[in-house]
Amino acid sequence: MEALLLNAENRSAEVKTISKPIPRWNEILIRVHSIALNPVDSLYVYHPLGSTGRVIGSDFAGTVESLGPDVPATGGLKPGHRVAGFLQGASSVNDRPGAFAEYLVCPYDLVWRVPADLSLEAAAAVSLCGLTAAQALFYRLGMKAPFKWDDLRAQDDACNFSVFIYGASTSVGLYAAQLVRRAAEASGGKVRLVGAASRKHFGMLKAEPYGYDHLVDYRDDNWPEQVRTFTDDKGVKYAYDCISEGSTIVNTAKTLAVGAGMAVVRSRQGGAWDTPREELPTEPIYGAVWEGLGEDVQYVGMFLPKSKVSRDFATAFYKWLSEDGRLQPNPIRLMPGGLKKVMGDGLRLMGSGTMEDREASRTEEWMKPVSAEKLVYQLERSN
Ligand SMILES: NC(=O)c1ccc[n+]([C@@H]2O[C@H](COP(=O)([O-])OP(=O)(O)OC[C@H]3O[C@@H](n4cnc5c(N)ncnc54)[C@H](OP(=O)(O)O)[C@@H]3O)[C@@H](O)[C@H]2O)c1
């Protein structure tokens, strides 16, 4: 089969032919139909952690080809079922293959069933950033989730408070707003949702399924003060910084009420921001979506031990997505050319680290900067 493999020496990725994987205990073999790109896919090609030959890529959607040994019948998965999920691939030191390949293997309970009326292209856009947002809001900040999971920590009884999302038009932010709304509905509460995005996205973000009450333009110097005016200057109970680069941390922290919680998508340890603890009212909570895969994750200088609770949270989220938890996928940009064009086009658009590093000079229609959308490739198959 064809797969996109890391070339660590060249800081690049190349399509090569490798053996089709064989599903082991509790795994399923998936024939990949579509893949979606995330900034982390390009980050670790331009700054490799893994060695040459690793399959890169995270988000996928496809059909079940076969079941490995011991996949429980109660899971109900059968060959032909349409599923989506994500893998970590070359985004860690640990040698596990990624998703940018014609076939992949994945634990049977770390995929969700794609409903008949959702395309596999759209489904590919959901898993990684949807779970990232769910982890931040429910697992890390402690809002009451709209789905059941075994949480022993105290949670809010009803969602009656204000929430602020910085980077509301990011893929993560688009799922976070929907999840806040769904959590409020499920708890019978009322959330005031405030966001920061480009003015051009205000119309989309005020409409369903995001339903922002108030929006500020992140290019205005005084946006934190504007956010506070929407909370009678008391500040928000929860803030989620979906950019977490440089000054976004200190500015997002200005929106917090006394005793409020704040989650971030990038870490101080990873160098994306360096605001000292004493300049912040609370330590921002960082976590990596990979925790949901239930395996040890090794970066350079950081180690995330495997966590059963985090894996259980991921399976509960996927179960909800499979049953009644419909999230509207990000708007997708269908990219031309299949796997062989991912490196030269898609990964360049995703950039090598920060939002400012992203490719913005190409003139083709499909190479305009990513803005409130997800880049998706269909696989052009060799078999
Ligand atoms: N911790 C984790 O496990 C985890 C998981 C997933 C993602 N992440 C990280 O989360 C970040 C967001 O990822 P993503 O896939 O959601 O990003 P994305 O969708 O590719 O982000 C693009 C969006 O960011 C907006 N944007 C760019 N610069 C901004 C700024 N300074 N302020 C506010 N908005 C800005 C753009 O809006 P305009 O076009 O309107 O300017 C655009 O809509 C990335 O750093 C990613 O690596 C972390």
Side-chain angles (χ1 to χ4, degrees), residues 122-131 133-134 137 165 168 170-180 210 317 327-331 374:
V126 177
S127 311
L128 188 146
C129 284
L131 181 62
L137 298 169
I165 298 176
T170 60
S171 173
V172 176
L174 292 172
Y175 293 119
Q178 296 184 62
L179 288 165
V180 168
Y210 314 107
F317 174 68
L327 285 180
Q328 183 165 303
N330 298 156
K374 199 90 178 162

Side-chain angles (χ1 to χ4, degrees), residues 358-371:
R358 292 188 172 193
E359 163 72 54
S361 61
R362 296 260 299 264
T363 52
E364 304 95 315
E365 175 58 19
W366 67 90
M367 287 299 288
K368 58 186 192 300
V370 177
S371 192

Side-chain angles (χ1 to χ4, degrees), residues 37-40 43 128-129 132 135 140 166-174 196-201 218-219 240-245 248 264-266 286-290 299 330 350 353-356 358 369-374:
L37 302 199
N38 286 283
V40 74
L43 175 67
L128 188 146
C129 284
T132 302
Q135 286 175 338
R140 307 192 202 290
Y166 183 82
S169 70
T170 60
S171 173
V172 176
L174 292 172
S198 293
R199 203 166 285 279
K200 67 180 174 190
H201 294 309
Y218 74 78
R219 292 183 178 88
Y240 189 18
D241 181 349
C242 297
I243 298 290
S244 310
E245 291 179 15
T248 71
V264 295
V265 288
R266 303 192 64 186
Y286 169 76
V289 69
W290 315 122
Y299 296 110
N330 298 156
M350 287 279 102
T354 64
M355 292 290 169
E356 284 177 1
R358 292 188 172 193
V370 177
S371 192
E373 63 200 317
K374 199 90 178 162

Side-chain angles (χ1 to χ4, degrees), residues 21-31 63-80 104-109 111:
I22 297 167
R24 293 172 306 173
W25 184 75
N26 271 347
E27 287 181 338
I28 53 178
L29 178 69
I30 295 167
R31 181 181 159 93
T63 51
V64 177
E65 182 85 356
S66 64
L67 309 182
D70 294 334
V71 172
T74 48
L77 279 179
K78 295 193 173 59
L104 59 83
V105 292
C106 180
Y108 77 93
D109 57 349
V111 293

Side-chain angles (χ1 to χ4, degrees), residues 292-366:
L293 298 175
E295 303 282 355
D296 288 342
V297 178
Q298 181 82 49
Y299 296 110
V300 175
M302 207 193 319
F303 175 69
L304 304 171
K306 73 163 75 170
S307 154
K308 181 177 180 319
V309 187
S310 190
R311 192 188 193 284
D312 288 349
F313 179 86
T315 56
F317 174 68
Y318 280 167
K319 188 166 183 294
W320 180 70
L321 283 184
S322 300
E323 292 167 359
D324 57 357
R326 298 293 294 271
L327 285 180
Q328 183 165 303
N330 298 156
I332 60 168
R333 184 191 305 175
L334 204 49
M335 298 287 286
L339 275 185
K340 62 182 182 301
K341 299 297 270 184
V342 169
M343 182 67 230
D345 292 350
L347 294 188
R348 294 184 69 135
L349 281 172
M350 287 279 102
S352 61
T354 64
M355 292 290 169
E356 284 177 1
D357 286 340
R358 292 188 172 193
E359 163 72 54
S361 61
R362 296 260 299 264
T363 52
E364 304 95 315
E365 175 58 19
W366 67 90

Side-chain angles (χ1 to χ4, degrees), residues 1-5 16-23 27-35 55-67 79-80 83 87 96-106 339 379-383:
M1 67 165 190
E2 289 195 334
L4 194 53
L5 306 188
K16 300 257 183 189
T17 301
I18 59 170
S19 314
K20 194 165 152 182
I22 297 167
E27 287 181 338
I28 53 178
L29 178 69
I30 295 167
R31 181 181 159 93
V32 179
H33 177 281
S34 296
I35 55 170
V55 180
I56 72 156
S58 318
D59 265 322
F60 67 85
T63 51
V64 177
E65 182 85 356
S66 64
L67 309 182
V83 293
L87 299 175
R96 292 184 286 266
F100 293 180
E102 289 180 312
Y103 293 88
L104 59 83
V105 292
C106 180
L339 275 185
L379 265 61
E380 293 176 353
R381 310 193 69 86
S382 60
N383 59 357

